[in-house]
Amino acid sequence: MELLTSIIDIESIQVKKSSFSPEQKATQIEALANTIIELGGLINIPVIKQNNIDNYELISGHLEYFAYLKAREINPRLPDRLTVFVSNTRNQAAISKQLEILQLIDNTKQSLPNNTTSTQVEIDLKLNNLESFIHNNNKILFEALEQQKTELLLAIESKIPQQTPPMDAFNRILEPEIAFQVQRKLELILNASKSKKIVSILQEISKTKGHKQFQTFSDILERLKQQQKGLISQAKMIQIIDRWND
C-alpha cells in the first residue's frame, strides 16, 4: 500500500470537536507558524478524511493545521492550499493504527520525568516567538519595499519617452514632437540649417494629397532629391541611421 499526499484548499477542511485546544496551545502554534513562514511550508503534514468530493475532516495534525492558519494570518502570501495525507477506505485501518501508536509514544514521553519544567519550556517558546516575530516582520517589510521599488521603477520607465524608430519617425514627421526629434537626429551629422530644411521638405511631402508612407530610406532620399538636389547623400543618411540611438 502506498501513502500518497494531496494538495487541497484549506477552506475545504472541517475541524470537529477534539481534545486539541488551539487556545491552550497558542504559544506552540505561534512557534510552529514562525518556522512555517521561514521554511515556506510544513514538514509534518496533517491527515484528513474525505467526506465527499470537496469536503474533508481533520483527523490528525491539529497543531500543524492551526499553525499553518496562523502562519497565513501573519504572512498572507503563503498558499491557501495545504499538503495532506488523505485517509480513505483502503488505507484507513493502517493510518488509524499508526496514529494510535504515535499517540501512545507521545503519552509515554509525557509520563517520563523531565528536568525542564513546562513553565520554562513556555518561556523559551515565547522568547523564540518574539524573535521570530521581529525577524518575520522585517522580512515582510523588506519584501514589501522591494515590491514598491520594482513598481516605482516600472512607473518611471513608462514615463521615459521611448526612442521612435527612424522609419516611423520620418513617416510621423507632421507630429511636432517627432519633427523635433528627427531634426535633432539629423543635426548629429548635418548642420542645423540643413536639418531644419530637410524636416520642412518632408513635412510638405507628407501633406501632399495621396502621399503614401515611406517604405525605405532610399525612397526618402529620392523624394528629397526631387525637391532639392544635394540636400543629403546616401552616405550621410546611413550615418544618421547608425547614430539614431545616440
Side-chain angles (χ1 to χ4, degrees):
M1 181 185 299
E2 188 177 4
L3 185 61
L4 301 176
T5 60
S6 299
I7 301 176
I8 64 172
D9 294 333
I10 297 176
E11 293 181 353
S12 65
I13 301 176
Q14 294 183 353
V15 182
K16 297 187 176 180
K17 290 183 179 180
S18 70
S19 58
F20 184 85
S21 172
E23 293 77 16
Q24 293 179 1
K25 298 288 185 179
T27 302
Q28 291 88 335
I29 288 173
E30 185 177 351
L32 182 56
N34 288 324
T35 66
I36 291 171
I37 295 171
E38 185 69 25
L39 189 61
L42 279 164
I43 296 176
N44 294 330
I45 63 177
V47 180
I48 62 173
K49 179 176 68 175
Q50 186 169 11
N51 294 327
N52 51 53
I53 296 177
D54 295 317
N55 187 270
Y56 304 87
E57 179 184 342
L58 183 67
I59 61 176
S60 179
H62 290 70
L63 175 64
E64 289 81 0
Y65 171 79
F66 284 104
Y68 193 82
L69 293 184
K70 182 65 176 179
R72 289 201 73 245
E73 181 183 320
I74 298 172
N75 186 0
R77 294 186 179 182
L78 285 171
D80 60 355
R81 295 169 64 81
L82 191 61
T83 301
V84 296
F85 289 123
V86 180
S87 173
N88 52 43
T89 53
R90 290 190 304 169
N91 61 25
Q92 185 174 0
I95 287 178
S96 297
K97 184 176 180 180
Q98 187 174 117
L99 292 176
E100 288 175 5
I101 292 173
L102 289 171
Q103 185 62 48
L104 180 62
I105 293 172
D106 187 54
N107 292 339
T108 303
K109 286 180 180 179
Q110 292 180 18
S111 65
L112 293 174
N114 195 325
N115 293 329
T116 304
T117 65
S118 59
T119 303
Q120 183 61 49
V121 171
E122 188 81 5
I123 292 173
D124 289 343
L125 282 175
K126 287 184 176 181
L127 289 174
N128 183 71
N129 288 344
L130 178 60
E131 182 180 343
S132 296
F133 173 78
I134 296 172
H135 172 76
N136 289 328
N137 270 8
N138 287 340
K139 183 179 179 181
I140 293 172
L141 178 61
F142 175 78
E143 291 175 351
L145 289 174
E146 285 296 304
Q147 180 66 26
Q148 289 183 1
K149 179 181 175 182
T150 301
E151 292 174 357
L152 180 60
L153 289 174
L154 289 174
I156 292 174
E157 185 177 344
S158 67
K159 298 295 183 182
I160 298 175
Q162 300 298 311
Q163 283 279 16
T164 305
M167 185 58 69
D168 287 348
F170 284 119
N171 280 316
R172 293 169 56 190
I173 200 74
L174 291 177
E175 299 176 30
E177 290 184 4
I178 299 297
F180 179 78
Q181 184 182 132
V182 171
Q183 184 173 329
R184 288 291 174 263
K185 298 302 180 183
L186 294 173
E187 288 175 0
L188 293 173
I189 302 299
L190 308 174
N191 60 50
S193 177
K194 186 172 286 189
S195 299
K196 186 176 181 180
K197 180 68 174 178
I198 291 173
V199 169
S200 179
I201 292 175
L202 288 175
Q203 286 179 326
E204 290 301 320
I205 293 172
S206 297
K207 292 177 183 178
T208 304
K209 186 177 181 180
H211 168 71
K212 296 181 180 179
Q213 288 195 335
F214 300 115
Q215 299 299 317
T216 65
F217 295 113
S218 296
D219 185 20
I220 296 172
L221 288 173
E222 183 61 31
R223 296 299 299 275
L224 288 171
K225 185 178 179 181
Q226 292 175 5
Q227 297 293 325
Q228 183 174 336
K229 292 184 178 181
L231 196 59
I232 180 172
S233 66
Q234 185 175 9
K236 294 291 186 181
M237 176 62 84
I238 293 173
Q239 289 180 340
I240 291 167
I241 302 308
D242 286 342
R243 296 190 57 184
W244 191 267
N245 292 323
D246 288 358

